[in-house]
C-alpha cells in the first residue's frame, strides 16, 4: 500500500507507472493525513450510505471510505490512474469505478443507482464550478457534498450579495445549499504543489425552494442578471434568455408587479429576490 502522506512516495509511484500529473485535469494529489481525516469526519460515512468520490487519483481518500459505506462509486478520468485503481481496489466489495470525465458520466450512474447520499472529492481547479453547477441544474442533490477546491471558488460559494466575490455561481449554489467553509488548505498539502490555495467546503441542502416550479426560469434569470456585471437589471434582463423564452410583454408585466428597483445591478440581488421574480414571471406566463 502507498504511503499517501509522502509526496516523495506519491511521486515515485506516478513515475513508475509513467503518469505525469496534468494541469488540465487539476491533478494535485492530497498528501496531508490531517486534511484527509478532516474530510472523512465531515463526510461522516455511514454503513447504509451511497457515496460518490470525484477524482479518486491514487485512492488516498478512497482507501479511507472502503468498508465504511454501503456502496462507493469512484470517478477517474486519467487512464493510467484508472489502471492503478483497478489493481488496488478492483476486488473491493461494493466499490465501483467509473472511467472518464465526471461531467459526461455521472448521469449514467444516477439513472442506474439514484442520487447518492454524499458526493466528495478533491475537485479540479479547471472544472470544479462546472461540476457543482451541473449537479444542481440537473437536480442531483445529495444530503451532503464535501470538497477541497480552489480558495477563490470557495469564496464565491459563500459570498454575500453586493460583495466582490458574489456571482452567478454564488446564486446557483445558495439556491439549493447552505455552504460552510471549514478552513483553508496550504499548497504544500498537495503534490505537485499547486499555484493556488485551496479550501474545504461542506454543502448541505437547506430545502427552502424544493417546491419551486419555476426552476428553469430561475436559472435563466441568473444567467441574464450576470450577463454584464456593469449593466442594470433592466438592461440585462430585457436582452436575455427570459425575454426571448417568455416574451417581452410577460416580462414587463411581471416586473411591474415586482418591488425590485430595476436600476440595481444583478450582483446586488439575494437568492430570495431572484426566486420571487422567477415565481412572478411563471405566474404571469400561466395567465396569473
Amino acid at each position: 500500500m502507498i504511503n499517501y502522506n509522502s509526496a516523495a512516495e506519491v511521486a515515485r509511484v506516478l513515475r513508475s507507472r509513467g503518469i505525469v500529473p496534468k494541469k488540465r485535469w487539476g491533478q494535485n494529489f492530497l498528501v496531508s493525513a490531517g486534511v484527509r481525516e478532516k474530510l472523512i469526519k465531515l463526510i461522516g460515512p455511514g454503513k447504509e450510505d451511497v457515496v460518490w468520490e470525484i477524482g479518486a487519483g491514487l485512492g488516498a481518500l478512497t482507501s479511507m471510505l472502503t468498508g465504511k459505506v454501503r456502496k462507493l462509486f469512484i470517478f477517474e478520468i486519467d487512464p493510467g490512474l484508472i489502471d492503478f485503481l483497478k489493481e488496488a481496489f478492483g476486488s473491493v466489495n461494493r466499490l465501483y469505478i467509473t472511467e472518464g470525465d465526471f461531467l459526461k458520466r455521472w448521469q449514467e450512474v444516477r439513472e442506474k443507482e439514484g442520487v447518492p447520499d454524499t458526493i466528495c472529492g478533491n475537485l479540479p481547479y479547471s472544472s470544479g464550478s462546472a461540476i457543482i453547477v451541473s449537479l444542481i441544474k440537473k437536480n442531483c442533490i445529495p444530503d451532503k457534498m464535501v470538497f477541497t477546491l480552489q480558495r477563490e471558488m470557495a469564496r464565491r460559494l459563500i459570498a454575500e450579495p453586493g460583495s466582490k466575490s458574489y456571482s452567478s455561481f454564488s446564486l446557483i449554489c445558495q439556491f439549493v445549499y447552505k455552504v460552510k467553509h471549514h478552513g483553508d488548505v496550504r499548497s504544500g498539502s498537495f503534490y505537485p504543489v499547486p499555484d493556488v490555495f485551496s479550501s474545504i467546503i461542506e454543502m448541505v441542502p437547506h430545502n427552502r425552494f424544493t417546491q419551486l416550479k419555476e426552476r428553469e426560469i430561475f436559472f435563466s434569470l441568473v444567467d441574464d442578471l450576470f450577463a454584464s456585471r456593469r449593466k442594470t437589471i433592466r438592461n440585462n434582463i430585457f436582452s436575455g434568455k427570459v425575454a426571448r423564452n417568455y416574451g417581452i410583454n410577460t416580462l414587463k408585466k411581471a416586473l411591474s408587479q415586482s418591488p425590485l428597483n430595476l436600476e440595481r445591478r444583478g450582483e446586488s440581488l439575494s437568492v430570495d429576490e431572484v426566486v420571487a421574480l422567477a415565481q412572478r414571471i411563471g405566474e404571469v406566463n400561466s395567465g396569473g
Side-chain angles (χ1 to χ4, degrees):
M1 182 62 72
I2 299 175
N3 178 4
Y4 290 114
N5 304 326
S6 168
E9 170 74 355
V10 169
R12 182 194 65 76
V13 172
L14 294 174
R15 282 196 307 271
S16 71
R17 304 182 73 93
I19 300 172
V20 178
K22 301 171 184 65
K23 277 194 173 184
R24 72 178 185 275
W25 288 339
Q27 291 180 322
N28 301 93
F29 300 85
L30 188 58
V31 293
S32 168
V35 174
R36 285 198 304 278
E37 287 167 4
K38 188 171 185 176
L39 291 172
I40 290 294
K41 185 176 181 180
L42 289 172
I43 293 166
K47 287 291 185 180
E48 297 303 314
D49 290 349
V50 175
V51 176
W52 291 2
E53 182 191 355
I54 302 172
L58 290 170
L61 195 61
T62 307
S63 65
M64 300 176 75
L65 289 167
T66 54
K68 295 182 178 179
V69 298
R70 182 163 62 89
K71 287 184 179 181
L72 176 60
F73 293 86
I74 61 176
F75 296 79
E76 179 54 55
I77 193 171
D78 190 304
L81 292 173
I82 290 167
D83 288 342
F84 176 87
L85 290 168
K86 286 180 177 178
E87 292 175 19
F89 300 99
S91 62
V92 174
N93 194 29
R94 296 189 298 278
L95 185 148
Y96 308 89
I97 302 172
T98 301
E99 304 177 25
D101 187 342
F102 178 82
L103 281 166
K104 296 177 180 178
R105 299 298 311 276
W106 73 261
Q107 292 183 75
E108 301 170 31
V109 179
R110 196 262 297 269
E111 287 171 8
K112 293 178 181 177
E113 300 287 338
V115 176
D117 298 291
T118 305
I119 300 178
C120 62
N122 176 28
L123 291 192
Y125 300 139
S126 58
S127 58
S129 58
I131 286 171
I132 294 173
V133 169
S134 173
L135 292 165
I136 292 174
K137 284 191 172 183
K138 293 180 173 64
N139 208 27
C140 181
I141 312 299
D143 293 336
K144 184 184 294 184
M145 299 203 293
V146 177
F147 301 124
T148 54
L149 37 71
Q150 188 174 350
R151 186 170 66 180
E152 286 69 22
M153 192 187 305
R155 287 175 175 170
R156 287 163 60 201
L157 275 167
I158 61 175
E160 297 183 355
S163 66
K164 184 178 179 181
S165 296
Y166 195 66
S167 66
S168 58
F169 181 58
S170 311
L171 260 173
I172 289 169
C173 294
Q174 293 172 22
F175 171 60
V176 174
Y177 287 103
K178 180 179 180 180
V179 184
K180 293 183 181 180
H181 182 277
H182 288 280
D184 293 331
V185 181
R186 62 184 182 86
S187 299
S189 297
F190 299 91
Y191 173 84
V193 177
D195 297 327
V196 298
F197 289 98
S198 299
S199 297
I200 298 173
I201 286 292
E202 177 188 17
M203 305 174 71
V204 177
H206 53 59
N207 297 319
R208 294 175 58 217
F209 307 120
T210 54
Q211 302 304 312
L212 183 71
K213 298 177 181 178
E214 298 83 8
R215 280 176 58 90
E216 294 308 313
I217 298 177
F218 173 86
F219 292 130
S220 294
L221 271 176
V222 173
D223 289 341
D224 290 350
L225 291 167
F226 283 87
S228 176
R229 291 184 72 102
R230 294 189 176 187
K231 290 185 177 180
T232 63
I233 294 171
R234 184 191 306 278
N235 289 339
N236 271 332
I237 207 168
F238 280 110
S239 60
K241 293 180 182 179
V242 175
R244 290 195 299 272
N245 294 339
Y246 300 94
I248 291 291
N249 290 335
T250 294
L251 186 54
K252 283 183 176 179
K253 184 175 181 181
L255 288 169
S256 71
Q257 298 171 359
S258 167
L260 286 180
N261 178 354
L262 299 186
E263 300 310 310
R264 290 169 64 186
R265 292 179 177 173
E267 63 197 51
S268 72
L269 296 184
S270 68
V271 173
D272 293 82
E273 288 178 305
V274 180
V275 166
L277 181 55
Q279 288 176 311
R280 189 80 286 255
I281 293 169
E283 289 167 1
V284 171
N285 188 59
S286 299

